[in-house]
Amino acid sequence: MASSPSSQAPLTWAVNISVIFLVVLWLFPTLGLFVSSFRTADQITASGWWASLTSSEQIIQLRTGGRDAAKEVDGVFVVEGNILTDGDEAPGQLEISAFGVSSRAVDAYKIGDTAEFNKGKTFTLNADGSYKLTSPDKLRKRGQRVFVTAVLPPSFSTENYGTILFSGTGQDNMAKAFFNTLTVTIPATIIPILIAAFAAYALAWMEFPGRALLIAAVVGLLVVPLQLALIPLLQLHNNVGIGKGYLGVWLAHTGFGLPLAIYLLRNYMVGLPRDIIENAKVDGATDFQIFTKIILPLSFPALASFAIFQFLWTWNDLLVAKVFLIDSTGQTTVMTNQIVELLGTRGGNWEILATAAFISIAVPLVVFFMLQRYLVRGLLAGSVKGG
Amino acid sequence: MSELKLTGIKKSYGSTEVMHGIDLDINEGEFVVFVGPSGCGKSTLLRMIAGLESISGGELQINGVKVNDYPPSQRGIAMVFQSYALYPHMTVYDNMAFGMRIAKASKEEIEERVQNAANILQLGPYLDRLPKALSGGQRQRVAIGRAICRDPKVFLFDEPLSNLDAALRVATRIEIAKLKESMPSTTMIYVTHDQVEAMTLADRIVVLSAGYLEQVGSPIELYERPANLFVAQFIGSPAMNIVTATVETAGAKTKVKLAGGGAATVPIKSDKEQKGAKVHLGFRPEDMTVASGKDALVEGVITLVEALGEVTNLYVEVAGSDDPIVAKVPGTYDVKRGDRIALNADADKMHLFNEEGRSFLYL
């Protein structure tokens, strides 16, 4: 970069490259999950998700007609037909380039060649898929196995989504868990915002003794790891009769979310112009009216940004749900927990896991993209004038 | 009836007293301007009248009612802030209607008052706009309109023009003067550090300094008869020249000898015992003339020439004074830095202050 006109150019490049790197780092797995969720188990075993986006050369296994399709001509059993279009499992017309009759040499013959194999059998395959199989002996009931090298177009199906969302079997069906997660997330987002907004207004704009100490306490609570409180809190819930359930998990999420919520909102509200609030006082507004009519509308970016945070981590939460919600009946399982269970029961079925994972990130993705401008604005609150 | 009576108003933050007992009567329909340098307490005093700051001592009466502990909304006041303080998420109409909606006024009354204020301030076309779509001057007009809508007994202005550019400031100043004329019975209190605003708008000016009330009077009274050195130097631009002098002859006229050598006979009465006393002699730059010969009041070297076209300000270093003497001579005047010059001043317009800085006129 010796020829760069300004010294800022290399830095800009470094920033741009880092950003691109991070974007790619995050987007690739997401895209992979997304693509994989539309593929079948066989496709996933045969090739990577990136290969499925374009036509690819693959070896497919097909069968000729069997004993029933054979005709006896001059003492030789002959089967004729089209290997690409006959039968139930035929793939349809494809561009084929080679074939084989043994799994040890799947592309031993060119199209149009005649393969001769065990006990005088011959097999000829043409480009249009028509074939001729001859055998001196009687054929078996099932037809001859043929391996064909073919160029397959991309093929996707929504079958996995059907399995995950609509299949009746309890193990794979995530629909219930999806709604359970929503049941946890929505109140667990709204309740702390409501409480925190009131608290933040009081801490920012109302004079009362001990205010500074309270703010310090809230900041102190920011650094307390939530794991510390899991067991005592669960005991408390059990003792007061809440037990495990939605109420418990809402309360827990509210508690764990409040310090950051109060801190963020207070910092935002304290940056609102004092004159506006004083003018509202001169206009005769009470504290509650100032809060609802002035502060809340003006704090919308901060409220939205915290809502996104709280929504995302209650949605993705496993720990708190496991401790406070999920009991042995399994009726209240959430998606994160169900995915963990799927890992056990369907560990090898990548198509199921990918679909489950993608369903679980779909809602956060939508929420993020809808509200991301508030996320940035709210985070920058106070640091940039007029932000 | 909307008179204000301040009796021994004090303000302290913890043990630090910042306002030291202000006594002031403001009559109905008066336009009073608080002026003073930064940090003199003029805004604090205004905010105490508004009820935005608590009053630590003394009594504030509006219309004969003690309002020390009344919230702002019950004092019958409206305030216009320096930063406009418009509600950014509300249209101009809603901004002006906010106070009345809080007070649960009827829709018709709100509509009538808002339209009335909008007419006075020519805000009609902007009623549906948000504040961010308005220029600075328009925003300030909305802020004033919002105050008008409250139909207050007392208008409070906290440096309302400070955020405007020079041309707009003059225009808005004239609008405020017109507004006052159209509402003759409304009392207005206006805080500014700009003495042009103070001189042009005020019926009476209140000069504050470091939490003390220095002088109250009409603009011309403050200019012609300042009570002390502070007021003398604060009112007028450039500031009044002050030189130390000694009283030579006391009586109906006082003859003083300047530390730098010159002498002057000032038509101000002095007592006999003041003979020989050290005094401060004040004379305004605009009362000075260039002298020729020996009768000069002061003489020195020019250190700076400010040619403004209309006038020329000469800064002259003279013996016996630490600060340069400033002379304002009309038109352009052809001198250079380093030239020697002799200056005279109109003796009728000189001021005498004793050693404590109090004017001889008020002794």
CSV table of all heavy atoms in Angstrom, one decimal, chain B residues 41 57 104 128 135 159 176-177 207 242 271-272 281 293:
chain,number,residue,atom,x,y,z
B,41,GLY,N,-25.6,33.9,38.8
B,41,GLY,CA,-26.8,33.4,39.5
B,41,GLY,C,-28.1,33.9,38.8
B,41,GLY,O,-29.2,33.7,39.3
B,57,GLY,N,-34.0,30.1,51.1
B,57,GLY,CA,-34.3,31.1,52.1
B,57,GLY,C,-35.0,32.3,51.5
B,57,GLY,O,-34.9,32.5,50.3
B,104,LYS,N,-56.3,19.1,31.0
B,104,LYS,CA,-57.6,18.6,30.6
B,104,LYS,C,-58.5,19.7,30.1
B,104,LYS,O,-59.7,19.8,30.5
B,104,LYS,CB,-58.2,17.8,31.8
B,104,LYS,CG,-57.4,16.6,32.2
B,104,LYS,CD,-58.3,15.5,32.7
B,104,LYS,CE,-57.6,14.1,32.7
B,104,LYS,NZ,-56.3,14.2,33.5
B,128,ASP,N,-48.2,21.2,11.6
B,128,ASP,CA,-48.2,19.7,11.5
B,128,ASP,C,-46.7,19.2,11.4
B,128,ASP,O,-46.5,18.0,11.3
B,128,ASP,CB,-48.9,19.2,10.2
B,128,ASP,CG,-50.4,19.5,10.4
B,128,ASP,OD1,-50.9,19.5,11.5
B,128,ASP,OD2,-51.1,19.8,9.3
B,135,SER,N,-36.4,25.5,11.3
B,135,SER,CA,-35.2,26.2,11.5
B,135,SER,C,-35.1,26.7,13.0
B,135,SER,O,-36.1,26.6,13.7
B,135,SER,CB,-35.1,27.4,10.6
B,135,SER,OG,-36.0,28.3,11.0
B,159,GLU,N,-32.3,33.1,28.5
B,159,GLU,CA,-31.4,33.3,27.3
B,159,GLU,C,-32.0,32.8,26.0
B,159,GLU,O,-31.4,31.9,25.4
B,159,GLU,CB,-30.1,32.6,27.6
B,159,GLU,CG,-29.5,33.1,28.9
B,159,GLU,CD,-28.0,32.9,28.9
B,159,GLU,OE1,-27.4,32.8,27.9
B,159,GLU,OE2,-27.4,32.8,30.1
B,176,ILE,N,-40.0,39.7,20.1
B,176,ILE,CA,-40.3,39.6,21.5
B,176,ILE,C,-40.8,41.0,22.0
B,176,ILE,O,-41.7,41.0,22.8
B,176,ILE,CB,-39.1,39.1,22.3
B,176,ILE,CG1,-38.8,37.6,22.0
B,176,ILE,CG2,-39.3,39.3,23.8
B,176,ILE,CD1,-37.6,37.1,22.7
B,177,ALA,N,-40.1,42.0,21.5
B,177,ALA,CA,-40.6,43.4,21.9
B,177,ALA,C,-42.0,43.6,21.5
B,177,ALA,O,-42.8,44.1,22.3
B,177,ALA,CB,-39.7,44.4,21.3
B,207,VAL,N,-29.1,44.0,37.5
B,207,VAL,CA,-27.7,43.6,37.3
B,207,VAL,C,-27.3,42.7,38.5
B,207,VAL,O,-27.4,43.1,39.7
B,207,VAL,CB,-26.7,44.8,37.2
B,207,VAL,CG1,-25.3,44.3,36.9
B,207,VAL,CG2,-27.2,45.7,36.1
B,242,ILE,N,-11.6,53.1,33.9
B,242,ILE,CA,-11.5,53.5,35.3
B,242,ILE,C,-10.0,53.8,35.6
B,242,ILE,O,-9.1,53.0,35.3
B,242,ILE,CB,-11.9,52.3,36.2
B,242,ILE,CG1,-13.4,51.9,35.9
B,242,ILE,CG2,-11.8,52.7,37.7
B,242,ILE,CD1,-14.4,52.9,36.2
B,271,ASP,N,-18.1,65.4,50.0
B,271,ASP,CA,-17.9,66.0,51.3
B,271,ASP,C,-16.5,66.4,51.6
B,271,ASP,O,-15.6,65.9,50.9
B,271,ASP,CB,-18.4,64.9,52.4
B,271,ASP,CG,-19.8,64.6,52.2
B,271,ASP,OD1,-20.6,65.4,51.7
B,271,ASP,OD2,-20.2,63.4,52.6
B,272,LYS,N,-16.4,67.3,52.6
B,272,LYS,CA,-15.1,67.8,52.9
B,272,LYS,C,-14.1,66.7,53.3
B,272,LYS,O,-12.9,66.8,52.9
B,272,LYS,CB,-15.2,68.9,54.0
B,272,LYS,CG,-15.4,70.3,53.5
B,272,LYS,CD,-15.3,71.2,54.7
B,272,LYS,CE,-16.4,72.3,54.6
B,272,LYS,NZ,-17.1,72.6,55.8
B,281,LEU,N,-11.9,57.2,39.1
B,281,LEU,CA,-12.6,58.1,38.1
B,281,LEU,C,-13.0,57.3,36.9
B,281,LEU,O,-12.2,56.6,36.4
B,281,LEU,CB,-11.6,59.3,37.7
B,281,LEU,CG,-12.2,60.2,36.7
B,281,LEU,CD1,-13.3,61.1,37.2
B,281,LEU,CD2,-11.0,61.1,36.1
B,293,GLY,N,-2.5,69.6,23.0
B,293,GLY,CA,-1.9,70.4,24.0
B,293,GLY,C,-1.9,69.9,25.4
B,293,GLY,O,-2.0,68.7,25.6
